[in-house]
Amino acid sequence: MDLSIENLAVSLGNRKVLHGIGALFRPGKVTAILGPNGSGKSTLVRAIAGLADADAGFVRLGGRLVGRLDPRERARAIGYLPQDASVHWNVTAEALVALGRLPHRSPFAGMSAADAEAVTRAMEATDTLDFTGRPVAELSGGERARVLLARVLAGQPQWLLADEPLAALDPAHQLGLLDRLRGLAQDGMGVVIVLHDLVQAARAADEVLLLREGRVVAFGPAREALAHQPLREAFGIEVMVIGDDQGRLLPVPIGRSAPPAG
């Protein structure tokens, strides 16, 4: 099912953060959201997940308003990984990942064989099986970030919304995670990720939404949204575009844009 955003406006306190956002996210695609600090990326993802109240506009999942879905149904449909995800109990990594199965289980019910299989597959996908019995407090920041992602994936959502999932990872695990997210999209999941790295976005995303000051600068195929002019407008930078061995165009920042004449 598509995720559609229609004229969405959101305020935090007295400050309007998002202004009339419109976009259509499609399953089977990786969509990257990029923009300068403070452009509203995290707020947008929270609003899509039904966790931020809108001043105006709507977010719909397959035609249904996300904010009106039953919380358990919404959790089964949309998996959300916040930028500042934390763990409040020092459980084992496996137990933490198993929490992702709660929306699929009756209250007080134990783990089923299907639950156990989903946990194992999620830990395989995030390269965390070696952490199964380790307390979360003993994991590094990057290891814990991968376990938290596994918790979301264990819920087998139709949509994954991840806010800067690469932030705590080393380069090898960044590349591995992006490859896994592409694999999930190829299997039919909708994937929306907030990123800062233009090259990683060009490498992983099918579509890109560029924001600046809470407004859409560009939205469309990565090749178009990550071109020279949209990046000047969004970030105020110049880029050098290089091709890789798979025919992708990768924008590499090389300097700030010159201010407009006059």
Side-chain angles (χ1 to χ4, degrees):
M1 291 186 284
D2 292 341
L3 264 175
S4 60
I5 307 166
E6 306 165 31
N7 198 33
L8 185 69
V10 177
S11 296
L12 297 179
N14 295 322
R15 183 172 66 93
K16 182 160 283 190
V17 179
L18 299 176
H19 307 261
I21 303 295
L24 178 65
F25 298 154
R26 296 174 292 172
K29 304 283 187 181
V30 176
T31 301
I33 300 176
L34 293 95
N37 294 338
S39 58
K41 302 182 297 295
S42 296
T43 300
L44 176 57
V45 174
R46 282 180 52 80
I48 296 170
L51 301 175
D53 293 332
D55 302 332
F58 305 96
V59 178
R60 301 180 191 271
L61 175 63
R64 301 175 65 192
L65 292 173
V66 169
R68 294 184 183 175
L69 296 177
D70 174 81
R72 285 174 61 85
E73 182 182 4
R74 186 171 65 206
R76 289 192 295 268
I78 300 175
Y80 169 60
L81 180 66
Q83 181 180 349
D84 55 354
S86 57
V87 180
H88 301 289
W89 302 280
N90 190 26
V91 297
T92 65
E94 183 179 33
L96 179 59
V97 175
L99 294 176
R101 296 299 301 170
L102 290 179
H104 296 269
R105 293 158 53 188
S106 301
F108 310 111
M111 289 271 287
S112 67
D115 293 328
E117 181 182 359
V119 168
T120 298
R121 292 181 63 183
M123 297 187 77
E124 287 175 342
T126 53
D127 193 22
T128 55
L129 271 178
D130 288 346
F131 309 152
T132 296
R134 289 176 58 185
V136 175
E138 295 180 7
L139 302 177
S140 70
E143 291 170 341
R144 188 160 51 249
R146 284 152 50 203
V147 170
L148 287 166
L149 176 60
R151 179 179 65 179
V152 177
L153 295 181
Q156 298 175 312
Q158 300 169 38
W159 282 88
L160 170 65
L161 310 179
D163 191 353
E164 296 195 42
L166 307 184
L169 304 184
D170 60 59
H173 281 106
Q174 288 183 3
L175 294 172
L177 177 59
L178 290 175
D179 287 342
R180 291 182 178 94
L181 293 180
R182 285 210 57 82
L184 292 171
Q186 289 166 2
D187 290 339
M189 182 183 288
V191 178
V192 179
I193 51 176
V194 174
L195 295 175
H196 274 295
D197 190 303
L198 301 180
V199 172
Q200 298 287 41
R203 181 179 182 274
D206 300 293
E207 298 183 329
V208 169
L209 176 66
L210 276 182
L211 294 177
R212 182 176 180 85
E213 297 179 349
R215 293 180 170 83
V216 175
V217 172
F219 175 56
R223 278 176 174 253
E224 298 176 8
L226 296 177
H228 292 277
Q229 187 55 40
L231 293 177
R232 287 190 196 105
E233 188 175 344
F235 291 98
I237 60 172
E238 298 293 341
V239 297
M240 174 178 63
V241 178
I242 61 175
D244 69 2
D245 57 3
Q246 297 186 37
R248 294 173 297 209
L249 299 179
L250 309 179
V252 179
I254 57 174
R256 291 180 178 271
S257 300

